[in-house]
Amino acid sequence: VSARIGRLVIAGVGLIGGSLALALRRAGAVAEIVGFGRDAERLQQAVAAGVLDRGETDPERALSGADVVVLGVPLGAVAGLMRQIGPHLPATAVLTDVGSAKASVVADVETALGGLPGGFVPAHPIAGTEKSGFEAALPDLFRRRRVILTPLASTEAAAEATVCDMWEACGAEVIRMGVEHHDRMLAATSHLPHLLAYGLVDTLARWDTTEEVFQYAAGGFRDFTRIASSDPVMWRDICLANRSAVLETLEHYRRDLDHLTALVEAAEGEALEAVFRRAKTIRDRYRPVFEK
Amino acid sequence: VSARIGRLVIAGVGLIGGSLALALRRAGAVAEIVGFGRDAERLQQAVAAGVLDRGETDPERALSGADVVVLGVPLGAVAGLMRQIGPHLPATAVLTDVGSAKASVVADVETALGGLPGGFVPAHPIAGTEKSGFEAALPDLFRRRRVILTPLASTEAAAEATVCDMWEACGAEVIRMGVEHHDRMLAATSHLPHLLAYGLVDTLARWDTTEEVFQYAAGGFRDFTRIASSDPVMWRDICLANRSAVLETLEHYRRDLDHLTALVEAAEGEALEAVFRRAKTIRDRYRPVFEK
C-alpha cells in the first residue's frame, strides 16, 4: 500500500488520535505523523512509544507542510486550539476532527478562521473505551466501527474523499449525515447514557456513604456503569457542546421515567411488563448491530 | 465427594434452577434432582437435556421425600406456587428460593404456610444473564458469584447450613444480611439499573419511530442497555415485589437527575465535571469488585 497521506498532524494526541496514528501507520497509509500539543514531555513519550514520528509544541513548526490536520482534543478545547493553529494552517490542508458533537466544532472552526474552508470535513469516529491517553491507544480501535462524516455545503469533494479514505484505511465503515441529525442521534445513544450512568454511580455514592452498596453490585450494574469510568473532562465538554440536543433527549427520558415511576407506584404490572417487553424486543432486534 | 443432598426438588426450572441443577450434579452434591412445573413437555425436555432426573406436574408426587425444595419461579409466581406445594411440603424439608427481593418471598411463604417453618432459608444468588430458560443454564453460572442468605429469626441453623453448603458446592461465596437491608441494596444496584435501561431503550424507540437511532449506537449504549434484554416478566415481578425500596431509590435518582439537568441547562461545567469525576473515582475504585 502506498502512503496516501504525506504529512499528518494530530493536534491533541490522546486515545483517539493515538489509535488513529497506530492504525494508519500499520496500514502504510501515511508517510509522517506529527503530534502537536502543549506538553513537550508527553509528546516525547508518544514518539518513544512509536505513536508519533515527531512532536511539536510550536504551532508554526507543527503545521508546516501538513496535508491533513486532525483535531484530537476534547470539544471544550477546540476553540482555543483553532485560534492557535488557524494562522498556520496551510491553505491546501484538509482539516478534520473527532468530536462527539459536530455543531459546536463547526462553529468554533468558523469563528477562528472567519469562515469555513473547503478543506474542513467534520468527522466523528464512533469508537473509544473508558480509558484515556495515547498509552491506551489501539491500532484496531476503529476496525468495523462507524465513522460519521457531516460534510458541510462548503466542504470540497476531494477533502471529503481524503478523510473517508483515511478512516477506511483504519478498517472503519464511513457514513454521512447532517450536523444537526448527528447531534440529536448521538445525544440519544451516547451522551444521555453517559449522563445517566455517571448520575447513578454518584447517586449511590451519596446515598450510601459507607459505599457498602457497591460491594453487592452484580453484572448488570457493572455493564450499566462501565461508561461512568469515562474521562470527566471529555464528557463535561460533550454535554456542554451538545447542550440543546442533550437537554431535548433528557426531557423525553425524564418524562418517561416519571411515567415508569407512576406505574411502579400504582403496581401496574401489565403496563410495566409492556414497557419492558417493548424494550427487550428492540434491544434483541438490534443485538447484531450492537454486539458486532 | 459424597452426595450431600438426597432429593432436591426445583420448582420452576429456568435459567437459575437449571444452572443450580447442573452445578450440583457436577459437584456430586446431590443424589436426585426432581423438577416441578406445570408444563410436562418442558420438564421432559429438561430431563432429556440432563438437567433433571425426573419431572413432575403433580405437587404431591414432586414433593414426596424432598430433602431440599428450591423455589425457582419469578417472584410474582411464588405465592401461587406456595399455595400449591405447601400442603405437600415434608416437615423436615429445607425450603429456599432464588428471588431478587426477599421481603415479598418471606410474606408469601408465611401466608401460604400460616407461619414460617424452621427449614425456610431465603436466598438470592447474585448471578444471571439476560437469557432465560433452562436451555441457557450453565454449571459455572454461580462460580465466584455471591449468594446472599437472609436468615430469619425462625430459621434453624441446620437448614441454613444445608443451603450454605449447597451454594458453596456451586462455587459461590455465601454472605448473610437482613431482609430489609438486602432489598434496599439490591434496589439500588440491580433493580434501579434495570428500570433505567428498559426506560432508555423504550424512550428512544418511541422518540425515533424509524428506529434509525439504534443504527448508530456505540459500545457505551450496548453495555448500558444489555440488561434491557432481560426477561420482562421476571423484572416486572421484581419491581412490584420490591416496590417500596425501588421507589425510594428511584426518588433519590430522579432528584439527582433533575440536578444534573439543571447543571447542563445552566452550562455549569465545573459542577458537572465534579459529578462525573466523583462517579469515575468510585467506579474505578470498585472495578476489581465489578469485573471479577
Side-chain angles (χ1 to χ4, degrees):
Chain A
V1 182
S2 66
R4 277 167 284 177
I5 297 172
R7 182 172 294 170
L8 175 75
V9 178
I10 299 175
V13 187
L15 171 70
I16 300 294
S19 297
L20 176 64
L22 293 178
L24 291 176
R25 193 185 295 286
R26 191 174 59 178
V30 62
E32 192 194 20
I33 303 176
V34 179
F36 172 63
R38 281 172 307 193
D39 188 335
E41 199 185 330
R42 288 285 293 158
L43 288 168
Q44 202 37 57
Q45 288 166 357
V47 171
V51 172
L52 301 175
D53 292 308
R54 63 183 163 95
E56 302 286 354
T57 55
D58 175 74
E60 187 174 356
R61 288 178 57 91
L63 275 284
S64 168
D67 295 302
V68 175
V69 178
V70 177
L71 309 176
V73 296
L75 287 169
V78 169
L81 174 64
M82 282 307 303
R83 275 194 299 274
Q84 219 185 349
I85 68 170
H88 310 289
L89 196 66
T92 56
V94 169
L95 176 66
T96 188
D97 75 306
V98 298
S100 300
K102 306 277 29 113
S104 77
V105 175
V106 173
D108 289 346
V109 167
E110 188 166 21
T111 301
L113 302 183
L116 290 165
F120 175 42
V121 189
H124 175 204
I126 306 187
T129 70
E130 70 274 19
K131 299 193 184 110
S132 312
F134 68 79
E135 291 89 347
L138 301 165
D140 276 330
L141 190 66
F142 309 111
R143 181 161 299 279
R144 301 182 63 199
R145 299 292 162 193
R146 282 181 163 146
V147 174
I148 303 177
L149 305 188
T150 63
L152 310 169
S154 52
T155 302
E156 285 162 10
E160 190 180 324
T162 298
V163 175
C164 180
D165 290 350
M166 177 180 85
W167 285 112
E168 285 179 353
C170 301
E173 178 196 350
V174 174
I175 56 176
R176 289 163 178 81
M177 65 176 71
V179 165
E180 198 196 336
H181 192 63
H182 169 279
D183 287 358
R184 291 186 77 227
M185 289 290 173
L186 270 291
T189 54
S190 171
H191 310 170
L192 179 61
H194 277 79
L195 207 55
L196 298 180
Y198 277 128
L200 178 67
V201 174
D202 187 53
T203 293
L204 297 190
R206 294 191 301 122
W207 176 56
D208 173 22
T209 52
T210 65
E211 296 181 9
E212 187 202 346
V213 67
F214 295 109
Q215 297 289 348
Y216 306 108
F221 187 83
R222 177 195 64 208
D223 289 346
F224 188 83
T225 61
R226 182 169 292 123
I227 52 182
S229 276
S230 306
D231 180 12
V233 169
M234 175 178 149
W235 284 95
R236 173 203 69 191
D237 283 2
I238 290 171
C239 288
L240 299 183
N242 201 23
R243 188 154 56 115
S244 67
V246 167
L247 286 173
E248 185 198 351
T249 183
L250 250 176
E251 192 188 317
H252 278 273
Y253 184 72
R254 284 164 70 218
R255 200 182 310 143
D256 289 352
L257 193 60
D258 288 347
H259 178 63
L260 264 187
T261 305
L263 292 182
V264 176
E265 262 167 1
E268 295 265 17
E270 223 169 292
L272 210 53
E273 186 190 333
V275 172
F276 293 175
R277 196 171 293 281
R278 207 156 54 202
K280 177 181 168 56
T281 302
I282 292 270
R283 182 62 176 70
D284 287 350
R285 190 189 311 155
Y286 285 92
R287 191 189 301 250
V289 175
F290 299 150
E291 310 281 341
K292 80 170 182 183
Chain B
V1 181
S2 65
R4 277 166 283 176
I5 297 173
R7 182 173 293 170
L8 175 76
V9 178
I10 300 176
V13 186
L15 172 70
I16 299 295
S19 297
L20 176 63
L22 293 178
L24 291 177
R25 193 185 296 286
R26 190 174 61 178
V30 62
E32 192 194 19
I33 303 176
V34 179
F36 171 64
R38 280 172 307 193
D39 188 336
E41 199 185 329
R42 287 286 294 158
L43 288 168
Q44 202 38 58
Q45 289 166 356
V47 171
V51 173
L52 301 175
D53 292 307
R54 62 183 163 96
E56 301 285 355
T57 56
D58 175 74
E60 187 173 356
R61 287 179 56 91
L63 275 284
S64 168
D67 294 302
V68 174
V69 178
V70 178
L71 309 175
V73 296
L75 288 168
V78 169
L81 174 64
M82 282 308 302
R83 275 194 299 275
Q84 219 184 349
I85 69 171
H88 309 290
L89 196 67
T92 56
V94 169
L95 175 67
T96 188
D97 75 306
V98 298
S100 299
K102 306 276 33 110
S104 76
V105 175
V106 174
D108 289 346
V109 167
E110 188 166 20
T111 301
L113 303 183
L116 289 165
F120 176 42
V121 189
H124 175 204
I126 306 188
T129 71
E130 70 275 18
K131 298 190 185 113
S132 312
F134 68 79
E135 291 88 347
L138 301 165
D140 276 331
L141 190 65
F142 309 111
R143 182 162 298 280
R144 300 181 64 197
R145 299 291 162 196
R146 281 179 164 149
V147 174
I148 303 177
L149 305 188
T150 63
L152 311 168
S154 53
T155 302
E156 286 162 8
E160 190 180 324
T162 297
V163 175
C164 180
D165 290 350
M166 177 180 85
W167 285 112
E168 284 180 353
C170 301
E173 178 196 350
V174 174
I175 56 176
R176 288 164 179 81
M177 64 176 72
V179 165
E180 197 197 337
H181 192 64
H182 169 278
D183 286 0
R184 291 186 77 226
M185 289 290 173
L186 270 290
T189 55
S190 170
H191 309 170
L192 178 62
H194 277 80
L195 206 55
L196 299 180
Y198 277 128
L200 178 67
V201 174
D202 187 54
T203 293
L204 298 190
R206 294 190 302 122
W207 177 56
D208 173 22
T209 52
T210 66
E211 297 182 9
E212 188 202 346
V213 67
F214 295 110
Q215 297 288 349
Y216 307 108
F221 188 82
R222 178 195 63 209
D223 289 346
F224 188 84
T225 61
R226 181 169 292 123
I227 51 182
S229 275
S230 305
D231 180 12
V233 170
M234 176 179 147
W235 283 94
R236 173 202 69 190
D237 283 2
I238 290 170
C239 288
L240 298 183
N242 201 23
R243 188 154 56 114
S244 68
V246 167
L247 286 172
E248 184 198 351
T249 182
L250 251 175
E251 192 189 317
H252 278 273
Y253 184 72
R254 285 163 70 219
R255 200 182 310 143
D256 290 352
L257 193 59
D258 289 347
H259 178 63
L260 263 186
T261 305
L263 293 181
V264 176
E265 261 166 2
E268 295 265 17
E270 223 168 292
L272 210 52
E273 186 190 333
V275 173
F276 294 175
R277 196 171 292 282
R278 206 157 52 202
K280 177 181 167 56
T281 303
I282 291 270
R283 182 61 177 72
D284 287 349
R285 190 190 312 156
Y286 284 93
R287 191 188 301 250
V289 175
F290 299 151
E291 310 282 341
K292 81 168 178 183

